[in-house]
Amino acid sequence: MKFRLEDITVYFPYDHIYPEQHAYMLDLKRTLDAGGHCLLEMPTGTGKTIALLSLILSYSLSRPSSPLKLLYCTRTVHEMEKTLSELRRLRDYLFSELGPSSSSFLAIGLSSRKNLCVNPRVLSAESRDSVDAGCRKLTASWVRALAERDPSVPTCEFFEDYERAGSSAILPPGVYTLQDLRAFGKQKGWCPYFLARHMVQLANIVVYSYQYLLDPKVAGIISKEMQKESVVVFDEAHNIDNVCIEALSVSVRRQTLEGATRNLHRMEQEIERFKATDANRLKAEYQRLVEGLAQRGNLRVSDTWLANPALPDDILKEAVPGNIRRADFFLRVLRRLVQYLKGRLETDNVEKESPVAFVASITNQAGIDQKTLKFCYDRLHSLMMTLEITDTDEFLHIQTICDFATLVGTYARGFSIIIEPYDDRMPDVRDPIIQLSCHDASLAIKPVFDRFQTVVITSGTLSPIDLYPRLLNFNPVVSRSFTMSLTRDCICPMVLTRGSDQLPVSTKFDMRSDLGVVRNYGRLLLEMVSVVPDGIVCFFVSYSYMDEIVNSWNESGILKEIMQHKLVFIETQDVVETTLALDNYRRACDCGRGAVFFSVARGKVAEGIDFDRHYGRLVIMFGVPFQYTLSKILLARLEYLRDTFQIKEGDFLTFDALRQAAQCVGRVIRSKADYGMMIFADKRYSRHDKRSKLPSWILSHLRDAHLNLSTDMAIHIAREFLRKMAQPYDKAGSGGKKTLLSQDDLEKMGDEMLY
Amino acid sequence: MYNGGDGPRRRRPEDGPAADDDEDDDDVDGDGGAGLEAWERAYADERSWESLQEDESGLLRPIDTKALHHAQYRRRLRSTASATARIQKGLIRYLYVVIDLSRAASEMDFRPSRMAVLARHAEAFIREFFDQNPLSQIGLVTIKDGVAHSLTDLGGSPEFHIKALMGKLECSGDSSLQNALELVYGYLDKIPSYGHREVLILTSALSTCDPGDIVETIQKCKNSKIRCSVIGLSAEVFICKHLCQETGGTYSVALDEAHFKELIIEHAPPPPAIAEFASANLIKMGFPQRAAENVISICLLLMNWASHVQVIPSRRCHGLALVVGRVFLVLGTGLTFLLCALDASNTFALIVISIFMRVYTTALAVRVTAFEACLLTQAS
């Protein structure tokens, strides 16, 4: 269908549109008009992605003079593929409506080499880093130069063909998923990864992961030359502040330091070898460093791998300090730094320092000044290039150290250094760690806001929506939260505060190991498994609490009783094990045996796995998933937030816990035809300050009568709800409650607005 | 008819025991309310509070049944529309009713228990079924302790089935859909193609413990055109939905007892015929042919006679024909034996009536068999 939205014509590839999609598009359009950033919350399952894509493309079509570029950031490869398939549908529709001229845009997905490589020799490696290294071994410029002289040196034929094709190696317009890119690359004999990276500059729509924009190490290479008139979309962005923080945080353990020492040793040998054979090379590098690092842009595309983690541009214009220009001098500096860090790790107390104090202490004890530290990362990069090191995965340790040094040297605010001799939860095991933790999410995302005209942050759970602008330090022109229009009440959130014996349940620290609470939680699950069909997902607040409670259920025989109704699967910290458990969980749901999945809020499962349809008819959130509040890093961050952004500790903790809880329970409902129940099993959820931070689409279904339930009442409600949902229903909605709008409806709406 | 909140539940406890006594005689089977006073029963069984619901502002009001009534109205419209559209119906049905008597059937959310409700309405259904499908047959299967038992074989006597069902009412263990399907498949697969193979599963369990892959069994049922329908008593289960979708049956979940009654009765009228078998063809029924056989078969007619006559349901409209049939049958049998004994050359043409007796045990079949047998023997 196509319809007018203010002054543009929107092409929408479906015959009907949800009212909230229409409203979403309207707000988005106004944002584009204003040229600012926006923050939009709309529940999953309402077609956010297609609404976004179709509006932005239509907008760009209706303003041919200023074409927009769309950078769409997703969290996972799976989401990326989904987005691209929606795009393909949209393109087919545009093709049928407008003909080939207007629909000839190029959309590609970009991912790591691991997902794009077609060379079987390289692909055989398991991890991402080793695939990267394997690729570099075959494609680095010096390897290829060597291969020209000596044909026995292996190179990658795909890359060679791509290089040979030169500027004629381009993708014809169309929509390319990763799969398509690989197929295209195989067919043409071109390397899909480098082709995609090249095409990113030319494509109209790029779909890639957050890191390509947020992690300064990667963003410098991939997203450097994007035009200002781009629209950046962060989808599923409820955790965007954490992504930003992680991009700038480094932790150094004993193993890292030992690895770094080995790396240094090896580099020293290399330098000796070069001195003996090819001394000119080191001299040439020295000359280059005297001139400055600015010419880094001239490096060949295959040689740039990791760039500057520090953001200020002036660092590139400055000359590298004299004391690290010579390779062996630089190694000596690094060795002193590693030695110093080793010394700091030996401490028996928890220490917390600001970057300024830390740098001062380095200057005193190791004799390295702040400016030198700042250049470590680039200097290492340059040195590794000079030494023709290709197995970069071996050198991750020293890279980490240099990353650390550069960050410490660059930022004086928003960071702190925390040294812990052991993990708080396991005080017996000595596992010292130096953490450089970033507290300010706005640091990493600031360049994105500054550089691009419009940044759209959207997700199913962004509540409370006014906190995000403060955390990320920007001014949105539009921030809105949409609710879902439903033909029937297909979600049933409940707050359970008491067990069947009317005693309160909670995972508050003083109550969580109380036997009564554990038993009440057990009885709740036991009753529920006998009432709810197919899949049930349970979320616990932490791994340790899950272990504890499952153990105690096992001892009291509750687990055995549960197993009579449904099979039990548990998430572990091991990814392979969890994947297997999930797989079997799905099978148990498919064959009618029924299953319960025990999982942890903030775990892998809570973030990326959907439990839609019969895979999740009920999700129980046992407790409020607060962060581990004794963690030094969290305390430091809270303090920083209070001082800088005036966000109260309690507010932030509640916000963070509730968004996790909403994220967990939101896993069960992925479309409007679906239905599911959500139980918040903790007495604290009934308090207004907690509850009000849930997203509005959950709150609007949370009836007052369901706010203070005991187990038996919840069972009764569940029975009624499940029976009601099993009845056939009318998808389009009837009477005054229209949930699907056709073209005619929209035209009528437009007329009403006019008159 | 289903009437939600103000039907059988309209009674309030304050109506007093006198009001209860009039209605209780056919309502309570004695399982749940035997040891209770009448006023206690009003709480224990009637659950009058369930017919109330709290609205946004916390006020009590009867459950809103408008949406349900609307759906019902639409369904009826649809069914009358389809009735006028001359859809061919499958008249000769072979229906197995599978009753789930696993642990879940003992739950008390239906009063007095799910099992009692199941039995009560299964009985009504069996009677209704034979009323609407005089040519069809029913068999009963129960699931208990993860195993499926055949309670009765296919047969045409409602009393016989009902008696067998009422004698076996106890529940325990897990439910196994696959075992039940395999059992029923074994019986129904041999039914000739003019008969409609159907299974109606009344389930209260929410999970099924199967020995193998149930999806294969479903595929098997689908291939041999067994139409499986499920009525659930608690909630929508994925595998049941899948089963019904695959085999072309209907899946429904009962909201309460009245709704359950309505759902089960919906299965009584004959379903549309399967397209492949719907082409008009002659079904040879009760027309035994003379065929040359080398083996001398022994006629077991008289031995079967006694057992089958009891099974023949007495029906007012068919009463007279039946009597005539019986007379002819006796005559015919006598003649057959006479002929066999007298004429040795006729041995090859011995008509094996017992085979027909065994297969066509419905009233009509027996009648025609008897009649035809008589005619044939007379002619010979």
Side-chain angles (χ1 to χ4, degrees), chain A residues 531 533-534 592 719 723 727, chain B residues 107 109 206 208 233 238 253-254:
Chain A
V531 169
D534 300 324
R719 274 206 177 113
R723 288 212 174 101
Q727 306 308 316
Chain B
E107 295 221 10
D109 53 345
L206 288 174
T208 152
L233 284 180
F238 171 75
V253 175

Side-chain angles (χ1 to χ4, degrees), chain A residues 304-366:
Chain A
T304 57
W305 71 82
L306 298 163
N308 195 346
L311 299 160
D313 279 340
D314 52 315
I315 195 167
L316 295 178
K317 295 179 194 110
E318 275 179 72
V320 173
N323 56 349
I324 54 170
R325 277 183 210 162
R326 294 264 316 261
D328 30 6
F329 289 178
F330 176 58
L331 281 193
R332 238 168 273 164
V333 165
L334 281 185
R335 195 162 289 145
R336 282 209 304 277
L337 179 66
V338 170
Q339 203 55 48
Y340 171 78
L341 291 176
K342 264 186 193 160
R344 292 301 300 261
L345 265 186
E346 289 306 312
T347 174
D348 283 330
N349 310 320
V350 177
E351 291 174 29
K352 185 181 154 227
E353 267 178 44
S354 74
V356 180
F358 195 77
V359 168
S361 141
I362 292 181
T363 318
N364 280 340
Q365 296 183 26

Side-chain angles (χ1 to χ4, degrees), chain A residues 278-436:
Chain A
D278 191 5
N280 284 338
R281 180 177 273 279
L282 291 171
K283 266 184 206 141
E285 189 203 18
Y286 181 84
Q287 279 309 316
R288 210 172 69 225
L289 292 174
V290 173
E291 287 158 22
L293 284 162
Q295 82 298 358
R296 201 155 39 93
N298 304 340
L299 290 177
R300 299 230 210 128
V301 61
S302 63
D303 294 348
T304 57
W305 71 82
L306 298 163
N308 195 346
L311 299 160
D313 279 340
D314 52 315
I315 195 167
L316 295 178
K317 295 179 194 110
E318 275 179 72
V320 173
N323 56 349
I324 54 170
R325 277 183 210 162
R326 294 264 316 261
D328 30 6
F329 289 178
F330 176 58
L331 281 193
R332 238 168 273 164
V333 165
L334 281 185
R335 195 162 289 145
R336 282 209 304 277
L337 179 66
V338 170
Q339 203 55 48
Y340 171 78
L341 291 176
K342 264 186 193 160
R344 292 301 300 261
L345 265 186
E346 289 306 312
T347 174
D348 283 330
N349 310 320
V350 177
E351 291 174 29
K352 185 181 154 227
E353 267 178 44
S354 74
V356 180
F358 195 77
V359 168
S361 141
I362 292 181
T363 318
N364 280 340
Q365 296 183 26
I368 310 171
D369 64 350
Q370 179 242 350
K371 196 175 172 200
T372 316
L373 283 175
K374 201 156 87 173
F375 277 92
C376 274
Y377 201 84
D378 287 284
R379 182 64 191 89
L380 178 76
H381 171 217
S382 161
L383 180 65
M384 283 172 73
M385 205 81 90
T386 315
L387 296 180
E388 300 183 348
I389 289 168
T390 52
D391 47 349
T392 43
D393 52 336
E394 296 285 316
F395 283 83
L396 282 180
H397 299 300
I398 190 71
Q399 281 174 28
T400 310
I401 300 287
C402 289
D403 195 3
F404 179 89
T406 308
L407 285 172
V408 171
T410 314
Y411 292 104
R413 277 188 59 74
F415 284 80
S416 58
I417 290 120
I418 293 163
I419 307 171
E420 286 179 288
Y422 47 78
D423 194 321
D424 266 358
R425 279 160 276 192
M426 288 180 290
D428 306 330
V429 186
R430 190 177 162 81
D431 179 24
I433 181 167
I434 303 182
Q435 282 160 309
L436 172 71

Side-chain angles (χ1 to χ4, degrees), chain A residues 444-478:
Chain A
I445 204 169
K446 188 169 179 291
V448 179
F449 283 131
D450 288 349
R451 207 162 75 205
F452 298 109
Q453 187 178 315
T454 303
V455 177
V456 180
I457 293 178
T458 185
S459 172
T461 46
L462 283 177
S463 299
I465 206 157
D466 54 331
L467 198 56
Y468 281 89
R470 281 157 80 190
L471 278 179
L472 300 177
N473 198 15
F474 75 110
N475 287 320
V477 286
V478 176

Side-chain angles (χ1 to χ4, degrees), chain A residues 526-594:
Chain A
L526 184 56
E527 298 269 327
M528 279 296 167
V529 290
S530 66
V531 169
V532 179
D534 300 324
I536 296 183
V537 193
C538 302
F539 286 100
F540 296 89
V541 287
S542 67
Y543 281 107
S544 57
Y545 185 61
M546 181 168 78
D547 287 348
E548 193 184 311
I549 201 166
V550 171
N551 257 335
S552 120
W553 285 352
N554 188 27
E555 278 161 21
S556 58
I558 289 181
L559 205 60
K560 211 168 162 190
E561 283 180 63
I562 292 173
M563 299 270 264
Q564 285 194 335
H565 294 276
K566 290 184 194 303
L567 304 180
V568 175
F569 297 94
I570 301 182
E571 180 190 3
T572 59
Q573 265 145 324
D574 184 353
V575 180
V576 183
E577 240 173 45
T578 306
T579 317
L580 197 69
L582 264 175
D583 216 42
N584 285 322
Y585 169 79
R586 292 229 165 83
R587 273 177 46 200
C589 292
D590 278 335
C591 78
R593 181 65 184 87

Side-chain angles (χ1 to χ4, degrees), chain A residues 528-534 564-566 589-594 613-614 617 675 703-705 716 719-720 722-728 730 734, chain B residues 49-50 53-56 63 68 71 74-75 103 107 109-110 114 174 206-210 214 233-239 253-256 259:
Chain A
M528 279 296 167
V529 290
S530 66
V531 169
V532 179
D534 300 324
Q564 285 194 335
H565 294 276
K566 290 184 194 303
C589 292
D590 278 335
C591 78
R593 181 65 184 87
R613 299 178 295 129
H614 61 286
R617 286 295 181 215
Y675 64 89
R703 296 181 12 213
D704 284 345
H716 180 78
R719 274 206 177 113
E720 293 291 312
L722 288 168
R723 288 212 174 101
K724 212 161 84 192
M725 284 301 122
Q727 306 308 316
D730 186 7
S734 52
Chain B
W49 60 89
E50 277 183 17
Q53 134 183 333
E54 216 170 319
D55 66 3
E56 307 300 306
I63 288 173
L68 273 172
R74 283 164 59 108
R75 199 159 56 227
R103 201 183 315 115
E107 295 221 10
D109 53 345
F110 284 74
R114 288 183 186 178
D174 295 316
L206 288 174
S207 63
T208 152
C209 291
D210 298 323
I214 191 169
L233 284 180
S234 37
E236 184 186 75
V237 181
F238 171 75
I239 195 70
V253 175
L255 286 169
D256 53 22
H259 190 221

